[in-house]
Amino acid sequence: NDLACNLESHPFGTACGRGIISLSLHKIGTVKRGVGYFYKDLVVITNGLKIAQILSEMNIKVYVAGGFLIKNSSVLVGRETEEFINNFNADICFLSCKGLSSDGKFTDTSYEETKLRKCYLKNAKKKIMLMTSNKIGKKYIHSLCDLDEIDHLILPDFKQYEKIQEK
């Protein structure tokens, strides 16, 4: 494992000393914010081609899973992608999804991407969901996991999150 992370001064705690981070994110801004918490000696596992390109340009070591390319998304999915992701044990997994339902379930519209995200979750010590508050209260066809299966939920507006906790 060739990763050095500094989490002591960040909300993620001190779980990561040396290891691997996995990314199941497709939005470039979200990735830069998430990765910005770490030192440059980072190893990233991803199925996102655009993310891999940007991180590579930041001199970050990137492993890209192969598979079927989803049209217009630059994301690889499928059995081969799942098998690749399952070969890694990550210290931290950053995820995103389309919605967080009022009953505390993270949901999405893509079966293939949801299935792959479950692989990321299964193989990570810490699970961090990054999402915008406009996704709260939205429920889609595919369930990823429950709120209590995520170690940290990072939202730009924590007031929205508090509303869900009160229900």
Side-chain angles (χ1 to χ4, degrees), residues 99-116:
L100 174 58
S101 66
S102 59
D103 60 349
K105 292 192 183 305
F106 291 102
T107 64
D108 207 288
T109 56
S110 170
Y111 171 76
E112 292 86 3
E113 290 181 61
T114 300
K115 192 172 175 188
L116 185 59

Side-chain angles (χ1 to χ4, degrees), residues 64-145:
V64 181
F68 175 76
L69 182 61
I70 295 179
K71 185 178 180 180
N72 298 325
S73 74
S74 299
V75 175
L76 298 159
V77 295
R79 186 176 46 89
E80 296 86 1
T81 316
E82 293 168 29
E83 289 173 3
F84 182 84
I85 297 304
N86 283 328
N87 284 315
F88 293 91
N89 295 304
D91 289 313
I92 299 174
C93 175
F94 289 97
L95 297 163
S96 65
C97 67
K98 297 271 186 187
L100 174 58
S101 66
S102 59
D103 60 349
K105 292 192 183 305
F106 291 102
T107 64
D108 207 288
T109 56
S110 170
Y111 171 76
E112 292 86 3
E113 290 181 61
T114 300
K115 192 172 175 188
L116 185 59
R117 287 182 183 124
K118 288 180 180 185
C119 294
Y120 281 111
L121 286 171
K122 180 180 75 169
N123 296 315
K125 289 179 192 173
K126 287 270 189 188
K127 295 126 180 117
I128 300 168
M129 185 67 72
L130 303 169
M131 63 188 318
T132 54
S133 56
N134 65 333
K135 295 179 179 182
I136 293 175
K138 302 212 174 157
K139 187 173 188 175
Y140 297 93
I141 190 166
H142 301 289
S143 293
L144 173 60
C145 64

